[in-house]
Amino acid sequence: MEVLGDVIMKPRSGWVLGCALIPAICLTGCTTDQSSEPEHTVTTDATHRSAEPQPETRLTAQAQEALDAVTKADGSMVESGAERVSDGVHTQPDLADGTPYKLTVVCAGDGAAEIAFTPHDAGSTTSVPCDGSVVFERFTGQNSMRLDVQGKPSATGMIVWRINKV
């Protein structure tokens, strides 16, 4: 019986070894990269970006700093904002009729803008240079008053503004 056991065991050993090697060979063949094309990777342009803020961000910060240096954003503030010169400021603030207010405008960039009130007797038309200068305009609130600060042709940059109750 021992001879018969040896004969049966020898083919099984080879068969078991073959069964173990076939999946390993198949897996190795399936996982190797046989592509001759180079790998493409996605990269970000973070290394190509400038450390300096974008012009609009930089100009807004510059104008806001000038505005904050001369006015307070306290309880007397009615309305404020920051706009591109090309878009302009167009607002109809909720103001008390007959109450005095102060408009503060700073334009940073190139060219000039102009403050205009509607109705025209609410305040005067005033030029605002886009050189970072602070321009004040005192006016008396009227119902349904409109305020516009419009850039003149070829003016660029950012306008920041604030209306405070006096």
Side-chain angles (χ1 to χ4, degrees):
M1 287 276 220
E2 288 184 29
V3 173
L4 185 58
D6 285 342
V7 172
I8 294 174
M9 289 304 286
K10 284 184 183 179
R12 273 194 181 167
S13 309
W15 185 75
V16 171
L17 182 62
C19 287
L21 288 176
I22 289 175
I25 293 170
C26 288
L27 286 174
T28 304
C30 292
T31 59
T32 58
D33 185 15
Q34 297 179 3
S35 165
S36 62
E37 293 181 29
E39 287 187 32
H40 297 286
T41 58
V42 177
T43 59
T44 62
D45 289 334
T47 57
H48 299 290
R49 292 184 186 144
S50 171
E52 185 177 328
Q54 296 297 322
E56 285 183 356
T57 304
R58 182 178 46 80
L59 291 172
T60 302
Q62 177 186 346
Q64 189 69 51
E65 188 176 299
L67 182 80
D68 290 342
V70 296
T71 62
K72 294 181 182 179
D74 58 11
S76 70
M77 185 183 77
V78 175
E79 195 171 335
S80 69
E83 311 293 337
R84 289 182 189 95
V85 172
S86 59
D87 295 339
V89 176
H90 309 285
T91 184
Q92 192 168 349
D94 186 23
L95 304 174
D97 196 30
T99 303
Y101 294 93
K102 179 174 78 173
L103 170 67
T104 308
V105 179
V106 179
C107 182
D110 293 311
E114 186 174 78
I115 300 169
F117 292 90
T118 306
H120 297 292
D121 64 344
S124 62
T125 301
T126 306
S127 182
V128 180
C130 291
D131 61 1
S133 299
V134 180
V135 175
F136 298 99
E137 180 67 31
R138 288 185 177 263
F139 65 96
T140 302
Q142 295 182 9
N143 292 332
S144 66
M145 186 191 85
R146 182 172 172 83
L147 168 67
D148 295 290
V149 182
Q150 189 65 44
K152 293 186 178 184
S154 75
T156 61
M158 297 298 292
I159 299 170
V160 295
W161 57 280
R162 185 176 295 152
I163 298 173
N164 288 79
K165 188 176 179 180
V166 179

